Structures are given as structure tokens and as C-alpha cells.
Amino acid sequence: MDCKLSKDFPFEVVILNTKENPEIKDYLDDDQISFARVGSKRYFFPKEFLTLAPSIYNMALRSDDTFVVTFPKSGTTMTQELVWIVCNNSDYENAKSTALSTRFPFLELPSMVRKVPCTENGIEILKKLIVPLTIKEVEEMPSPRFIKSHLPLSLLPPSLLDKTKVVYVARDPRDVAVSYYYHDKLLNLTKPENDFKHYWKYFVSDNISFGPYFEHVLEAWKKRNHPNMLFLFYEEITKDLPRSIQRVANFFGKTISDDQVNKLADHMDFDNFKKNKSVNKESLQDIGIFRSDGAFIRKGKSGGWRDYFDAVMSAQADEWIAKNLQGTDFRFPHC
Ligand code: A3P
């Protein structure tokens, strides 16, 4: 265990020793990896995150930057594409020819790369596939920049909302957990014998990267009325795509015709999205980073969690959600 505070990154950091935290070791299919808890909210990260955290926290922002910020598996990818198309005057040609991960890079990705084939040069493989990849490359991107992050607002630059526009997306944590479980499976990050029941235990005990879930969501919810923040729910976006497209366009001060809205809604439609090579990360499957028996764009359903929770888990989840929402005015729109 280790505690550090620095001027560059004013958060207490606790390095987790897997011997002292056997439940983490039990979950992961990797004995080497260490984790850390960061700040008073005890955000959980692979230890490598600490090498990037200060440069992210202190990165220079530009007034025309756009961030999509989410807890993982909350509909980040579809929101990135929607925002990018709206902000780039429906440039489908570029959207098709340039991977979303290049148009809209994932800020903290280099510190999240845990398991890639031939670990030593894994980052080299990723570099060929994903440009920009490093914080320096993100810093050098031409304006306007579009940046994805799963970091909670408190770990992003403190002037984020005053300087840039932020779209935050929240999703029912039960669906997030199922989606995250399949994501970890896709990346071979969990022990194969771990079933969803096992995974849910780790999810609610905040041993999942970027968790605790509710701290993450509630931080953003508190800022939802900031003029530079648009707070959306996955369930609302997917239920009424045209309305959500219009809301995004209004937020960015863009005029969008009914025809453009309908075209974008069709582009965002789950079945079309799943086939879209610019967003579906199939290339990671082609080189073996993702397993071949799964898919990044998976089911795209709200309420699919019901197939994974038995009565006891459902009751526990209700209790966990109620406990975390106590004293807040946050409510899921669909519950
Ligand atoms: P499921 O695993 O439940 O299917 P993220 O982009 O944050 O990783 O979120 C991934 C989740 O969003 C996955 O959920 C994925 O299938 C879903 N998703 C991606 N594109 C979508 C779309 N166009 N419509 C509905 N859901 C979509």
C-alpha cells in the first residue's frame, strides 16, 4: 500500500497489493497487474493509469474541444459518432473512411491496454491501428478536437466545463454491468470460469476500472445544468434517436434538417451500426486483441439485464441502487 499526493495531481493514491486484495486476483486472468484507488471517491484503475493521470489532469484545453465522457459501456461509441456527424456537417464520407478512434480518440487508452497479443510490442500494434494514441498526439491534434474519456469529471482538467463542451451519457448500471462483463470476456480479461453472477459481485464492490459507478455518474449529474454540459441517457437516445439528434444539434448550436436527422437516425440504427467498420472495432478482432466469438457492438438493448439477474440479484441490485441514490435527485428515466 502506498499513498502519494503531488502538486500536479492532487489526489491521494493507494496502490492495491493483490495479496492484500485476493478478491481482485480471483477475478482477473492476470497475476501481474496491479491496481490503484484514486482520490476520496476511491476510483479504481490499473496502476498504469497513474503514469498518465497528471498529464491528463493538466492538459491544455481549447475552447472548441468536444468531450464525450461516460462510465464504460454506457453508449460511448454511438454517442461519439452521433456528436461527430452533427458537428461535422454530416460528413459521412470522412466518417466512413476514417476510423472513429482516429476522429475521436480515447484519451486514457494507453494506460488501459492490459492484454494484447505479444505484450511487448502490443502498443506498437495499437499504434498502427489507432492514431492518435498518446496524450502528446492528442495534444497536437488540429482543432476542433473530439475526445472520448471514461474518466470521472474530477480526474479531467478542472477547467473542462468552463472551456469545452461535454456530452455525458449514463445507462442503467445493470445493463452496464452485463455489457462490461461481455467486454472483459471479449478482451480475455477475466478468468473464463467467472460467470456474470461472479462479475456482478465485483461490479458492486467497486473493483471495476473507472468505478465506483454511482460516484462517476453523480459527479456529472451535479453539473448537468452547466451550459457546456449535455447530460443524456442511453435509454433515451436509443428510444428516440431523432429527438436525441435534435438535442445534440441544439446543444452545439447546429441547424439540422429533418432529412439530415432521419439519415443520421438510420446511420445510428443498431443493425447498421453493427456493420459499420469505421465504428465496430472489427479490426481489433482481425489482429486477435478481441476474441473472435464476440462483438464490440453486441446487443444494443435496454433492460437486457433481466436475463442475467435471478430474483436474489435483482433484489440486491434494487437495494444497491436505492442506497446510492438516497439523498440525490438523480433518477433513471425508464425506472
Ligand atoms: P451491449 O453490450 O448491451 O449491447 P460503449 O460504446 O460505451 O462501450 O457501449 C457499448 C454498448 O452500446 C453495447 O451495449 C453496444 O452494443 C451498445 N451500442 C453501440 N452502438 C449502439 C447503437 N447504435 N444502438 C444501440 N446500442 C448501441
Side-chain angles (χ1 to χ4, degrees), residues 8-9 50-60 135 139 157:
D8 281 357
F9 190 64
L50 300 175
T51 58
L52 279 193
S55 41
I56 292 179
Y57 189 73
N58 296 292
M59 77 184 267
I135 302 294
E139 278 177 343

Side-chain angles (χ1 to χ4, degrees), residues 73-77 171 179 234 268 270 273 296 298-300:
K73 310 320 289 175
S74 299
T76 328
T77 315
R171 185 184 190 188
S179 186
Y234 173 92
M268 298 302 305
F270 182 79
F273 210 72
F296 183 78
R298 199 183 58 93
K299 290 266 176 192

Side-chain angles (χ1 to χ4, degrees), residues 78 171-172 174-176 233-239 298-306 334:
M78 65 178 205
R171 185 184 190 188
D172 187 316
R174 294 164 292 193
D175 280 329
V176 166
F233 286 95
Y234 173 92
E235 292 76 10
E236 287 182 335
I237 302 175
T238 49
K239 193 171 167 196
R298 199 183 58 93
K299 290 266 176 192
K301 278 204 176 126
S302 296
W305 62 268
R306 289 188 176 81
H334 55 289

Side-chain angles (χ1 to χ4, degrees), residues 79-191:
T79 307
Q80 288 173 268
E81 180 74 348
L82 196 163
V83 165
W84 194 91
I85 303 264
V86 165
C87 292
N88 286 278
N89 305 316
S90 305
D91 184 357
Y92 287 98
E93 213 170 290
N94 201 358
K96 203 173 158 194
S97 60
T98 312
L100 181 62
S101 50
T102 297
R103 288 179 277 131
F104 215 131
F106 178 12
L107 188 59
E108 62 277 11
L109 176 67
S111 63
M112 298 295 146
V113 178
R114 287 171 21 199
K115 253 196 173 181
V116 283
C118 11
T119 314
E120 267 165 35
N121 67 357
I123 203 90
E124 295 305 319
I125 297 173
L126 274 182
K127 263 186 191 163
K128 282 189 198 132
L129 270 177
I130 303 174
V131 184
L133 181 64
T134 63
I135 302 294
K136 189 166 173 288
E137 284 167 336
V138 171
E139 278 177 343
E140 288 167 359
M141 277 168 72
S143 290
R145 296 184 301 185
F146 295 87
I147 299 170
K148 154 188 166 179
S149 178
H150 288 317
L151 294 176
L153 292 182
S154 56
L155 299 182
L156 286 164
S159 60
L160 185 78
L161 275 173
D162 294 326
K163 289 216 177 122
T164 76
K165 286 212 178 309
V166 178
V167 179
Y168 187 92
V169 190
R171 185 184 190 188
D172 187 316
R174 294 164 292 193
D175 280 329
V176 166
V178 173
S179 186
Y180 216 154
Y181 167 69
Y182 278 104
H183 182 85
D184 279 6
K185 269 191 168 314
L186 192 64
L187 278 156
N188 277 322
L189 294 177
T190 69
K191 289 187 177 158

